[in-house]
Short mmCIF file of all heavy atoms in Angstrom, two decimals:
data_model
loop_
_atom_site.label_atom_id
_atom_site.label_comp_id
_atom_site.label_asym_id
_atom_site.label_seq_id
_atom_site.Cartn_x
_atom_site.Cartn_y
_atom_site.Cartn_z
N THR O 708 -100.27 13.84 118.45
CA THR O 708 -101.23 13.73 117.35
C THR O 708 -100.43 13.59 116.05
O THR O 708 -99.42 14.27 115.86
CB THR O 708 -102.14 14.96 117.23
OG1 THR O 708 -101.35 16.11 116.89
CG2 THR O 708 -102.88 15.23 118.52
N VAL O 709 -100.90 12.70 115.18
CA VAL O 709 -100.24 12.47 113.89
C VAL O 709 -101.30 12.53 112.80
O VAL O 709 -102.32 11.83 112.88
CB VAL O 709 -99.54 11.09 113.87
CG1 VAL O 709 -98.95 10.81 112.49
CG2 VAL O 709 -98.45 11.02 114.94
N ILE O 710 -101.08 13.37 111.79
CA ILE O 710 -101.98 13.46 110.64
C ILE O 710 -101.20 13.10 109.39
O ILE O 710 -100.18 13.72 109.07
CB ILE O 710 -102.55 14.89 110.48
CG1 ILE O 710 -103.28 15.33 111.75
CG2 ILE O 710 -103.49 14.94 109.27
CD1 ILE O 710 -104.54 14.57 112.06
N LEU O 711 -101.69 12.09 108.66
CA LEU O 711 -101.03 11.60 107.45
C LEU O 711 -101.98 11.68 106.26
O LEU O 711 -103.17 11.43 106.41
CB LEU O 711 -100.63 10.13 107.62
CG LEU O 711 -99.82 9.75 108.86
CD1 LEU O 711 -99.70 8.23 108.95
CD2 LEU O 711 -98.45 10.40 108.83
N THR O 712 -101.46 12.00 105.10
CA THR O 712 -102.26 11.93 103.88
C THR O 712 -101.37 11.73 102.67
O THR O 712 -100.26 12.26 102.62
CB THR O 712 -103.13 13.19 103.68
OG1 THR O 712 -103.80 13.10 102.41
CG2 THR O 712 -102.31 14.46 103.72
N MET O 713 -101.86 10.94 101.71
CA MET O 713 -101.13 10.70 100.47
C MET O 713 -101.69 11.52 99.32
O MET O 713 -101.21 11.42 98.20
CB MET O 713 -101.24 9.21 100.10
CG MET O 713 -100.61 8.27 101.08
SD MET O 713 -98.82 8.38 101.10
CE MET O 713 -98.41 7.35 99.71
N HIS O 714 -102.73 12.33 99.58
CA HIS O 714 -103.37 13.04 98.47
C HIS O 714 -103.69 14.48 98.83
O HIS O 714 -104.65 15.07 98.36
CB HIS O 714 -104.64 12.29 98.06
CG HIS O 714 -105.18 12.69 96.72
ND1 HIS O 714 -104.46 12.60 95.56
CD2 HIS O 714 -106.38 13.20 96.36
CE1 HIS O 714 -105.19 13.03 94.54
NE2 HIS O 714 -106.36 13.41 95.00
N SER O 715 -102.86 15.06 99.70
CA SER O 715 -103.07 16.45 100.10
C SER O 715 -101.77 16.96 100.73
O SER O 715 -101.33 16.45 101.75
CB SER O 715 -104.21 16.54 101.12
OG SER O 715 -104.50 17.88 101.43
N LYS O 716 -101.18 17.93 100.10
CA LYS O 716 -99.87 18.41 100.55
C LYS O 716 -99.96 19.09 101.91
O LYS O 716 -100.86 19.91 102.15
CB LYS O 716 -99.29 19.39 99.52
CG LYS O 716 -97.84 19.79 99.78
CD LYS O 716 -96.90 18.61 99.62
CE LYS O 716 -95.45 19.02 99.81
NZ LYS O 716 -94.56 17.85 99.81
N GLN O 717 -99.05 18.76 102.80
CA GLN O 717 -98.92 19.42 104.10
C GLN O 717 -97.44 19.70 104.33
O GLN O 717 -96.58 19.02 103.76
CB GLN O 717 -99.37 18.50 105.24
CG GLN O 717 -100.82 18.15 105.30
CD GLN O 717 -101.09 17.35 106.57
OE1 GLN O 717 -101.54 17.89 107.58
NE2 GLN O 717 -100.81 16.07 106.54
N PRO O 718 -97.12 20.67 105.17
CA PRO O 718 -95.71 20.83 105.54
C PRO O 718 -95.28 19.65 106.39
O PRO O 718 -96.06 19.13 107.20
CB PRO O 718 -95.72 22.12 106.37
CG PRO O 718 -97.10 22.23 106.90
CD PRO O 718 -98.00 21.65 105.85
N LYS O 719 -94.05 19.21 106.20
CA LYS O 719 -93.50 18.14 107.04
C LYS O 719 -93.03 18.80 108.34
O LYS O 719 -91.85 19.08 108.54
CB LYS O 719 -92.36 17.44 106.32
CG LYS O 719 -92.76 16.75 105.03
CD LYS O 719 -91.57 16.07 104.39
CE LYS O 719 -91.92 15.42 103.07
NZ LYS O 719 -92.12 16.42 101.99
N ARG O 720 -93.98 19.03 109.23
CA ARG O 720 -93.71 19.82 110.42
C ARG O 720 -93.85 18.97 111.68
O ARG O 720 -94.84 18.27 111.87
CB ARG O 720 -94.67 21.01 110.52
CG ARG O 720 -94.36 21.97 111.67
CD ARG O 720 -95.35 23.12 111.67
NE ARG O 720 -96.63 22.71 112.21
CZ ARG O 720 -97.02 22.90 113.48
NH1 ARG O 720 -96.23 23.51 114.31
NH2 ARG O 720 -98.21 22.50 113.88
N GLY O 721 -92.85 19.06 112.53
CA GLY O 721 -92.92 18.43 113.84
C GLY O 721 -92.88 19.51 114.91
O GLY O 721 -92.10 20.46 114.80
N MET O 722 -93.72 19.39 115.93
CA MET O 722 -93.76 20.38 117.00
C MET O 722 -93.75 19.67 118.35
O MET O 722 -94.55 18.77 118.60
CB MET O 722 -95.00 21.26 116.87
CG MET O 722 -94.95 22.53 117.73
SD MET O 722 -95.41 22.25 119.46
CE MET O 722 -97.16 21.94 119.28
N LEU O 723 -92.80 20.07 119.20
CA LEU O 723 -92.67 19.54 120.55
C LEU O 723 -93.02 20.64 121.53
O LEU O 723 -92.41 21.72 121.50
CB LEU O 723 -91.23 19.08 120.80
CG LEU O 723 -90.63 18.07 119.82
CD1 LEU O 723 -89.12 18.05 119.93
CD2 LEU O 723 -91.20 16.68 120.09
N SER O 724 -93.97 20.39 122.41
CA SER O 724 -94.43 21.41 123.35
C SER O 724 -94.03 21.04 124.78
O SER O 724 -94.39 19.96 125.28
CB SER O 724 -95.95 21.56 123.25
OG SER O 724 -96.41 22.53 124.16
N PHE O 725 -93.29 21.94 125.43
CA PHE O 725 -92.79 21.75 126.79
C PHE O 725 -93.39 22.81 127.72
O PHE O 725 -94.02 23.76 127.27
CB PHE O 725 -91.26 21.86 126.82
CG PHE O 725 -90.55 20.90 125.92
CD1 PHE O 725 -90.40 21.17 124.56
CD2 PHE O 725 -90.03 19.72 126.42
CE1 PHE O 725 -89.73 20.28 123.72
CE2 PHE O 725 -89.35 18.83 125.60
CZ PHE O 725 -89.21 19.11 124.24
N ASP O 726 -93.11 22.68 129.00
CA ASP O 726 -93.56 23.68 129.97
C ASP O 726 -93.03 25.07 129.63
O ASP O 726 -93.75 26.06 129.72
CB ASP O 726 -93.09 23.30 131.38
CG ASP O 726 -94.06 22.38 132.09
OD1 ASP O 726 -94.97 21.84 131.43
OD2 ASP O 726 -93.90 22.18 133.31
N GLN O 727 -91.75 25.14 129.26
CA GLN O 727 -91.08 26.44 129.11
C GLN O 727 -90.94 26.91 127.66
O GLN O 727 -90.36 27.97 127.42
CB GLN O 727 -89.69 26.37 129.75
CG GLN O 727 -89.68 25.89 131.19
CD GLN O 727 -90.52 26.76 132.11
OE1 GLN O 727 -90.55 27.99 131.95
NE2 GLN O 727 -91.22 26.15 133.05
N GLY O 728 -91.43 26.13 126.73
CA GLY O 728 -91.29 26.55 125.34
C GLY O 728 -91.73 25.46 124.37
O GLY O 728 -92.17 24.39 124.79
N TYR O 729 -91.61 25.75 123.07
CA TYR O 729 -91.93 24.73 122.08
C TYR O 729 -90.89 24.76 120.95
O TYR O 729 -90.27 25.78 120.68
CB TYR O 729 -93.34 24.88 121.53
CG TYR O 729 -93.67 26.21 120.87
CD1 TYR O 729 -93.46 26.40 119.50
CD2 TYR O 729 -94.21 27.26 121.61
CE1 TYR O 729 -93.78 27.61 118.89
CE2 TYR O 729 -94.53 28.47 121.02
CZ TYR O 729 -94.31 28.63 119.66
OH TYR O 729 -94.61 29.83 119.05
N VAL O 730 -90.71 23.58 120.35
CA VAL O 730 -89.71 23.39 119.29
C VAL O 730 -90.44 23.06 118.01
O VAL O 730 -91.31 22.18 117.98
CB VAL O 730 -88.74 22.25 119.65
CG1 VAL O 730 -87.70 22.08 118.54
CG2 VAL O 730 -88.07 22.49 120.99
N GLU O 731 -90.07 23.73 116.92
CA GLU O 731 -90.63 23.43 115.59
C GLU O 731 -89.51 22.98 114.66
O GLU O 731 -88.45 23.60 114.60
CB GLU O 731 -91.30 24.66 114.99
CG GLU O 731 -92.51 25.14 115.78
CD GLU O 731 -93.05 26.45 115.25
OE1 GLU O 731 -92.45 27.50 115.57
OE2 GLU O 731 -94.05 26.43 114.50
N ILE O 732 -89.76 21.88 113.97
CA ILE O 732 -88.81 21.36 112.99
C ILE O 732 -89.55 21.15 111.67
O ILE O 732 -90.55 20.44 111.62
CB ILE O 732 -88.20 20.02 113.44
CG1 ILE O 732 -87.64 20.11 114.86
CG2 ILE O 732 -87.10 19.58 112.47
CD1 ILE O 732 -87.16 18.79 115.41
N TYR O 733 -89.06 21.79 110.62
CA TYR O 733 -89.65 21.60 109.29
C TYR O 733 -88.79 20.64 108.48
O TYR O 733 -87.59 20.49 108.72
CB TYR O 733 -89.78 22.94 108.57
CG TYR O 733 -90.93 23.78 109.09
CD1 TYR O 733 -90.79 24.60 110.20
CD2 TYR O 733 -92.19 23.70 108.49
CE1 TYR O 733 -91.85 25.34 110.69
CE2 TYR O 733 -93.26 24.44 108.97
CZ TYR O 733 -93.09 25.26 110.06
OH TYR O 733 -94.15 25.98 110.55
N ASP O 734 -89.44 19.98 107.51
CA ASP O 734 -88.75 18.96 106.71
C ASP O 734 -88.06 17.96 107.62
O ASP O 734 -86.91 17.56 107.42
CB ASP O 734 -87.73 19.61 105.76
CG ASP O 734 -88.40 20.48 104.71
OD1 ASP O 734 -89.42 20.02 104.15
OD2 ASP O 734 -87.92 21.59 104.46
N TYR O 735 -88.82 17.51 108.63
CA TYR O 735 -88.21 16.77 109.73
C TYR O 735 -87.62 15.41 109.35
O TYR O 735 -86.71 14.93 110.04
CB TYR O 735 -89.19 16.60 110.89
CG TYR O 735 -90.40 15.75 110.60
CD1 TYR O 735 -90.33 14.36 110.66
CD2 TYR O 735 -91.62 16.33 110.27
CE1 TYR O 735 -91.43 13.58 110.39
CE2 TYR O 735 -92.73 15.55 110.00
CZ TYR O 735 -92.63 14.18 110.06
OH TYR O 735 -93.72 13.41 109.78
N PRO O 736 -88.06 14.74 108.27
CA PRO O 736 -87.39 13.45 107.98
C PRO O 736 -85.89 13.60 107.77
O PRO O 736 -85.12 12.70 108.11
CB PRO O 736 -88.09 12.98 106.70
CG PRO O 736 -89.46 13.59 106.79
CD PRO O 736 -89.22 14.94 107.38
N ARG O 737 -85.48 14.75 107.21
CA ARG O 737 -84.05 15.02 107.04
C ARG O 737 -83.74 16.43 107.53
O ARG O 737 -83.00 17.19 106.89
CB ARG O 737 -83.65 14.87 105.57
CG ARG O 737 -83.82 13.46 105.04
CD ARG O 737 -83.24 13.31 103.65
NE ARG O 737 -83.33 11.94 103.19
CZ ARG O 737 -82.74 11.47 102.09
NH1 ARG O 737 -82.01 12.29 101.35
NH2 ARG O 737 -82.87 10.21 101.74
N GLY O 738 -84.28 16.77 108.65
CA GLY O 738 -84.17 18.14 109.16
C GLY O 738 -82.75 18.56 109.47
O GLY O 738 -81.89 17.74 109.80
N SER O 739 -82.51 19.87 109.37
CA SER O 739 -81.20 20.42 109.75
C SER O 739 -81.37 21.71 110.57
O SER O 739 -80.37 22.29 110.99
CB SER O 739 -80.36 20.72 108.50
OG SER O 739 -81.01 21.65 107.66
N LYS O 740 -82.63 22.11 110.77
CA LYS O 740 -82.88 23.37 111.47
C LYS O 740 -84.11 23.24 112.35
O LYS O 740 -85.12 22.65 111.96
CB LYS O 740 -83.09 24.50 110.44
CG LYS O 740 -83.39 25.86 111.04
CD LYS O 740 -83.57 26.89 109.92
CE LYS O 740 -83.92 28.26 110.46
NZ LYS O 740 -84.10 29.25 109.36
N ALA O 741 -84.02 23.81 113.55
CA ALA O 741 -85.15 23.84 114.47
C ALA O 741 -85.23 25.23 115.11
O ALA O 741 -84.22 25.92 115.24
CB ALA O 741 -85.00 22.78 115.55
N VAL O 742 -86.44 25.62 115.47
CA VAL O 742 -86.65 26.90 116.14
C VAL O 742 -87.30 26.64 117.49
O VAL O 742 -88.34 26.00 117.58
CB VAL O 742 -87.54 27.85 115.30
CG1 VAL O 742 -87.77 29.16 116.06
CG2 VAL O 742 -86.89 28.13 113.94
N ILE O 743 -86.65 27.14 118.55
CA ILE O 743 -87.21 27.03 119.89
C ILE O 743 -87.81 28.39 120.27
O ILE O 743 -87.13 29.41 120.19
CB ILE O 743 -86.13 26.64 120.92
CG1 ILE O 743 -85.45 25.34 120.53
CG2 ILE O 743 -86.75 26.53 122.32
CD1 ILE O 743 -84.29 24.95 121.43
N THR O 744 -89.08 28.39 120.67
CA THR O 744 -89.74 29.60 121.15
C THR O 744 -89.97 29.46 122.65
O THR O 744 -90.58 28.48 123.10
CB THR O 744 -91.08 29.82 120.44
OG1 THR O 744 -90.85 29.91 119.02
CG2 THR O 744 -91.76 31.09 120.93
N TYR O 745 -89.45 30.40 123.41
CA TYR O 745 -89.57 30.36 124.87
C TYR O 745 -90.81 31.14 125.29
O TYR O 745 -90.99 32.30 124.90
CB TYR O 745 -88.32 30.93 125.52
CG TYR O 745 -87.10 30.07 125.27
CD1 TYR O 745 -86.29 30.26 124.15
CD2 TYR O 745 -86.77 29.04 126.15
CE1 TYR O 745 -85.18 29.45 123.91
CE2 TYR O 745 -85.66 28.23 125.93
CZ TYR O 745 -84.87 28.44 124.80
OH TYR O 745 -83.77 27.64 124.57
N VAL O 746 -91.67 30.51 126.08
CA VAL O 746 -92.97 31.10 126.39
C VAL O 746 -92.87 32.29 127.34
O VAL O 746 -93.75 33.16 127.34
CB VAL O 746 -93.93 30.04 126.98
CG1 VAL O 746 -94.22 28.95 125.96
CG2 VAL O 746 -93.38 29.43 128.27
N ALA O 747 -91.84 32.36 128.15
CA ALA O 747 -91.75 33.44 129.15
C ALA O 747 -91.72 34.81 128.49
O ALA O 747 -92.41 35.74 128.94
CB ALA O 747 -90.51 33.24 130.01
N ASP O 748 -90.94 34.96 127.42
CA ASP O 748 -90.85 36.28 126.78
C ASP O 748 -91.01 36.22 125.26
O ASP O 748 -90.92 37.25 124.59
CB ASP O 748 -89.50 36.93 127.12
CG ASP O 748 -88.31 36.08 126.70
OD1 ASP O 748 -88.51 35.05 126.02
OD2 ASP O 748 -87.17 36.45 127.05
N GLY O 749 -91.24 35.03 124.73
CA GLY O 749 -91.48 34.90 123.28
C GLY O 749 -90.24 34.91 122.42
O GLY O 749 -90.33 34.85 121.19
N HIS O 750 -89.06 34.99 123.02
CA HIS O 750 -87.86 35.04 122.18
C HIS O 750 -87.59 33.68 121.57
O HIS O 750 -87.98 32.64 122.11
CB HIS O 750 -86.65 35.56 122.97
CG HIS O 750 -85.89 34.51 123.72
ND1 HIS O 750 -86.22 34.10 124.99
CD2 HIS O 750 -84.78 33.80 123.38
CE1 HIS O 750 -85.37 33.18 125.40
NE2 HIS O 750 -84.49 32.97 124.44
N GLN O 751 -86.91 33.70 120.42
CA GLN O 751 -86.66 32.47 119.68
C GLN O 751 -85.17 32.18 119.58
O GLN O 751 -84.34 33.09 119.52
CB GLN O 751 -87.27 32.56 118.28
CG GLN O 751 -88.79 32.61 118.29
CD GLN O 751 -89.38 32.55 116.89
OE1 GLN O 751 -88.83 33.12 115.96
NE2 GLN O 751 -90.50 31.84 116.74
N GLU O 752 -84.87 30.91 119.55
CA GLU O 752 -83.50 30.43 119.38
C GLU O 752 -83.48 29.48 118.19
O GLU O 752 -84.26 28.53 118.13
CB GLU O 752 -83.06 29.69 120.66
CG GLU O 752 -81.66 29.13 120.59
CD GLU O 752 -81.29 28.34 121.85
OE1 GLU O 752 -82.14 28.22 122.76
OE2 GLU O 752 -80.15 27.86 121.91
N VAL O 753 -82.62 29.76 117.23
CA VAL O 753 -82.51 28.92 116.04
C VAL O 753 -81.36 27.93 116.25
O VAL O 753 -80.24 28.32 116.58
CB VAL O 753 -82.24 29.77 114.77
CG1 VAL O 753 -82.05 28.87 113.56
CG2 VAL O 753 -83.39 30.74 114.53
N ILE O 754 -81.68 26.66 116.07
CA ILE O 754 -80.69 25.59 116.21
C ILE O 754 -80.44 24.99 114.83
O ILE O 754 -81.38 24.56 114.16
CB ILE O 754 -81.19 24.48 117.17
CG1 ILE O 754 -81.65 25.08 118.50
CG2 ILE O 754 -80.12 23.43 117.38
CD1 ILE O 754 -80.56 25.71 119.32
N GLU O 755 -79.20 24.96 114.41
CA GLU O 755 -78.86 24.36 113.12
C GLU O 755 -77.74 23.35 113.30
O GLU O 755 -76.79 23.60 114.06
CB GLU O 755 -78.45 25.44 112.12
CG GLU O 755 -79.57 26.39 111.75
CD GLU O 755 -79.19 27.38 110.66
OE1 GLU O 755 -79.33 27.03 109.48
OE2 GLU O 755 -78.77 28.50 111.02
#
């Protein structure tokens, strides 16, 4: 799903959802950091 607007501020957020977890990337056009959340126990891994 993609939501675009030129007249309403939104976070530049990308989210990838997998069987075992999901990845969130903010400021994704020039991103440098992502957070992976693992669904089995909820722990997070920060990737930079």
Side-chain angles (χ1 to χ4, degrees):
T708 65
V709 175
I710 303 293
L711 308 172
T712 175
M713 297 290 278
H714 195 59
S715 185
K716 189 66 177 173
Q717 293 185 98
K719 298 181 183 73
R720 186 179 76 97
M722 194 278 290
L723 305 162
S724 180
F725 302 82
D726 273 12
Q727 307 302 322
Y729 58 90
V730 181
E731 295 173 282
I732 309 174
Y733 284 85
D734 294 317
Y735 66 82
R737 296 188 176 190
S739 60
K740 179 180 178 181
V742 178
I743 303 175
T744 302
Y745 294 89
V746 297
D748 58 7
H750 87 274
Q751 293 186 323
E752 179 183 2
V753 177
I754 308 295
E755 295 185 86

